Amino acid sequence: MQYLLLIYANEAEIAKLSPDSAGTLLHEYGEFTKSIVQSGNFKAADRLRPVSTASTVRVRNGKTVTSDGPFAETREQLGGYYFIEAKDLDQAIAIAARIPGARHGSIEVRPIWPMDR
Amino acid sequence: MDSRVIEEIFRHEGGRVLATLIRLLGDFDLAEEARQEAFATAIEQWPATGIPENARAWLVHVGRNKGIDHIRRQALLREKVAGLASEGEEPSHGGADDPAEADGAAFADDRLRLIFTCCHPALSLEAQVALTLHTVCDLESEEVARAFLVSQETMWQRLGRAKRKIREANIPYETPPPALLNERVDGVLAVIYLVFSEGYAVTSGAALVREDLCREAIRLGRLLDALLPGRADVRGLLALMLLHDARRKARVSATGDAVLLEEQDRSLWDRAQIADGLALVDQSLRTVERISAYAVQAAIAALHATAERPEATDWRQIVGLYEVLLRIQPTPVIELNHTVAVSMVDGPARALDLIDSLAARSEISGYHLLHAVRARLLQQLGRTGEARAAYQAALAAVAPEPERRLLERRLRELPPDD
């Protein structure tokens, strides 16, 4: 069973981290990723540029409307994801809890809905 | 054959049969349907064949086959629609071997799995409660809806969403591993206690439904105690519920008003149930490795339950127990109860100091009981004017109807201001 783990955090707070703390966090992410690659749960992962770089696109009456910024203003912003393979929700939750960002932000665990092809 | 005998078997075995069918078929709705069909088959066949020796195993066996037929039909339909020629797959759950359902231990494990799945923290608390009452306690969804004062439609949706999440997010049908067990048992106990409290709250009307909730909560507590024997927290909660519930008849007056503990007619208390609760308190307090808040609360309830008269209550020990409880669970409500106990030992002035410091630093200043307790203390100190203001503050906060009537009576009984 596949899950997408969406990492939400307050960008402003992350930006305020000292270079040392930011370095530690990055190192922790590296270690965590390595561990789930080894356990075979890893499928993909990426981090995202801040919401200040986001554009939102809608098509209305055949016309493309593009606006600056994220889809919704929230206190915590989507900052990255892990795409994993897990036995069940309990395992997915246990993996999500080990993501370094879970200690200050939030991880949303979403089951993948496979497409019939 | 008497159809009541068959119904009695359904009532007695229904929960176990469902729990095992969910494991074998891997789906709540499918298992409920399969059980229904197994019951229908039994009603048809048993009058002619007699009741099988192991009725439970029979029902599981028939239910499983009905469920698998259903999965096959669905698969066949999908194949036809998709125009595929491949062979129909066996369902992934259930396996090929006949379920060795005569085994009592396997049934017990399934019931435990069912409880943990229904009380999974990934479900909302209200969904956990609804699903537990509907699936573990086998209450009709209409009954659950009535008990929680929501429409049938809302309850249907709530149950549907929960079952869908279990299926689509793949919430496991498992007893949690040892590392997670304590945490998950806490969650199950919270659900059981919520069911009990909902039933125990003095509210006007719907009294019968409410009693049902207390009974179901106690039944769940007993079931969990049987399935996970020797746990202090489970026993503590069971004891707490039994001891509180034993006072049920004395808690509300003939006119429907709340009756405070010290004014209750103690001859109305259920002595047998109190004895039952006391034995459990004893057992749960003897387990010392992890002191359970429920066990401490049960011990407090036990001291009240064993006092022949209100004046004979061992308040000093109750104060001590509240102090233990505050270390495990430092909540404003427990602190409030602690001050009441302190007032019985050290007098109202000392208690009033505590309550004023509590009101100053916590967010319960809108809680009607805080004002009610304060009013009572002020009254005892002869500060009538302040007592009146505090009773009015309690009434201004949203208090349940029977408690309002009690507060209004107290207000009327105050002597005129001096």
Side-chain angles (χ1 to χ4, degrees):
Chain A
M1 179 101 184
Q2 294 170 345
Y3 297 86
L4 192 64
L5 312 181
L6 300 155
I7 305 164
Y8 286 88
N10 187 306
E11 280 180 3
E13 279 169 27
I14 303 265
K16 273 188 272 177
L17 287 180
S18 69
D20 267 7
S21 314
T24 310
L25 190 62
L26 205 60
H27 177 73
E28 285 173 348
Y29 265 103
E31 291 297 305
F32 166 72
T33 307
K34 225 183 286 170
S35 81
I36 63 167
V37 169
Q38 265 162 20
S39 63
N41 297 104
F42 179 91
K43 292 190 76 71
D46 276 302
R47 55 181 177 171
L48 303 177
R49 298 273 186 202
V51 287
S52 58
T53 63
S55 313
T56 300
V57 180
R58 295 178 179 87
V59 177
R60 296 289 181 272
N61 303 321
K63 195 166 164 277
T64 302
V65 184
T66 308
S67 55
D68 176 40
F71 153 69
E73 297 288 346
T74 47
R75 209 187 65 78
E76 292 183 322
Q77 298 81 25
L78 181 63
Y81 70 89
Y82 280 91
F83 180 34
I84 62 160
E85 175 73 44
K87 179 164 70 78
D88 52 35
L89 184 64
D90 277 355
Q91 198 190 9
I93 288 173
I95 291 172
R98 284 167 43 218
I99 295 178
R103 293 199 306 270
H104 50 85
S106 317
I107 316 296
E108 184 172 316
V109 180
R110 296 281 290 267
I112 295 295
W113 187 359
M115 290 278 194
D116 297 324
R117 275 187 253 271
Chain B
M1 183 183 308
D2 196 338
S3 67
R4 273 174 307 182
V5 177
I6 298 183
E7 273 168 33
E8 185 52 39
I9 292 176
F10 290 175
R11 215 178 359 263
H12 189 248
E13 301 292 356
R16 277 174 266 239
V17 170
L18 181 64
T20 298
L21 284 175
I22 292 173
R23 173 172 56 81
L24 295 172
L25 298 168
D27 186 87
F28 276 64
D29 286 329
L30 183 59
E32 279 176 49
E33 234 170 88
R35 179 179 65 168
Q36 238 11 74
E37 288 181 42
F39 283 175
T41 311
I43 290 170
E44 231 173 77
Q45 296 186 0
W46 288 1
T49 62
I51 293 169
E53 202 172 319
N54 189 338
R56 189 192 298 169
W58 190 98
L59 289 166
V60 167
H61 182 82
V62 171
R64 172 179 172 270
N65 289 343
K66 298 275 182 198
I68 290 175
D69 281 352
H70 191 84
I71 295 171
R72 285 217 180 96
R73 278 199 304 275
Q74 287 292 96
L76 209 63
L77 193 68
R78 263 201 303 276
E79 275 170 32
K80 279 185 182 156
V81 170
L84 293 174
S86 65
E87 283 288 296
E89 265 180 58
E90 280 288 309
S92 57
H93 303 270
D97 55 327
D98 200 52
E101 286 358 295
D103 183 7
F107 273 105
D109 289 349
D110 283 337
R111 299 207 86 183
L112 204 50
R113 283 189 185 101
L114 181 58
I115 292 172
F116 279 113
T117 302
C118 290
C119 299
H120 196 280
L123 299 171
S124 72
L125 189 58
E126 57 180 25
Q128 293 177 36
V129 168
L131 203 56
T132 303
L133 286 172
H134 177 57
T135 321
V136 183
C137 301
D138 227 353
L139 296 188
E140 296 290 337
S141 57
E142 293 79 41
E143 294 176 80
V144 186
R146 256 201 316 272
F148 285 89
L149 312 171
V150 298
S151 69
Q152 288 187 26
E153 180 70 19
T154 305
M155 190 48 71
W156 267 106
Q157 283 172 356
R158 191 177 291 175
L159 287 166
R161 260 199 308 274
K163 288 185 219 171
R164 190 167 156 194
K165 181 161 185 188
I166 291 173
R167 186 168 58 237
E168 294 182 349
N170 200 17
I171 292 179
Y173 198 58
E174 283 302 335
T175 302
L180 279 180
L181 192 64
N182 283 340
E183 190 182 315
R184 296 287 305 279
V185 169
D186 277 351
V188 175
L189 295 179
V191 167
I192 297 176
Y193 196 37
L194 197 140
V195 171
F196 183 80
S197 308
E198 193 64 32
Y200 196 65
V202 187
T203 45
S204 43
L208 275 175
V209 185
R210 301 272 142 177
E211 280 179 36
D212 281 353
L213 284 181
C214 287
R215 205 181 49 226
E216 289 305 330
I218 289 172
R219 213 160 68 90
L220 276 170
R222 287 198 194 281
L223 176 64
L224 198 61
D225 184 44
L227 294 173
L228 292 171
R231 285 190 65 104
D233 48 0
V234 177
R235 288 226 163 120
L237 175 59
L238 180 54
L240 178 63
M241 295 191 296
L242 287 170
L243 290 169
H244 276 303
D245 186 66
R247 302 201 292 254
R248 163 184 304 287
K249 285 203 186 103
R251 286 178 70 232
V252 184
S253 71
T255 51
D257 294 359
V259 183
L260 289 184
L261 188 55
E262 69 256 31
E263 291 165 358
Q264 288 177 8
D265 175 357
R266 299 189 177 214
S267 70
L268 293 176
W269 291 359
D270 183 338
R271 293 289 153 193
Q273 196 168 314
I274 287 174
D276 213 4
L278 291 178
L280 286 162
V281 173
D282 219 41
Q283 290 163 13
S284 76
L285 285 179
R286 241 179 274 147
T287 323
V288 284
E289 77 275 11
R290 189 169 169 265
I291 299 175
S292 148
Y294 294 120
V296 179
Q297 282 171 279
I300 294 169
L303 286 173
H304 286 300
T306 47
E308 300 270 337
R309 292 160 290 110
E311 311 82 66
T313 310
D314 186 349
W315 285 105
R316 200 165 289 281
Q317 210 181 326
I318 291 177
V319 168
L321 285 168
Y322 271 120
E323 277 157 14
V324 173
L325 193 55
L326 276 172
R327 277 203 295 277
I328 315 175
Q329 221 175 56
T331 69
V333 173
I334 291 173
E335 223 176 303
L336 183 61
N337 290 331
H338 172 242
T339 57
V340 174
V342 167
S343 79
M344 303 305 286
V345 176
D346 297 331
R350 167 99 184 90
L352 191 62
D353 283 349
L354 289 176
I355 218 171
D356 286 339
S357 109
L358 168 67
R361 75 195 135 74
S362 80
E363 288 163 9
I364 66 163
S365 50
Y367 183 47
H368 68 277
L369 284 181
L370 178 115
H371 297 290
V373 171
R374 221 177 145 260
R376 193 91 174 121
L377 295 173
L378 287 163
Q379 187 179 354
Q380 284 166 9
L381 289 167
R383 289 155 67 174
T384 312
E386 289 167 85
R388 187 184 315 279
Y391 276 126
Q392 274 152 358
L395 281 166
V398 188
E401 193 48 38
E403 288 178 43
R404 293 191 74 81
R405 288 201 292 266
L406 175 71
L407 290 166
E408 280 159 2
R409 199 185 81 213
R410 282 275 160 79
L411 199 52
R412 280 196 304 273
E413 285 166 4
L414 276 185
D417 283 354
D418 27 41

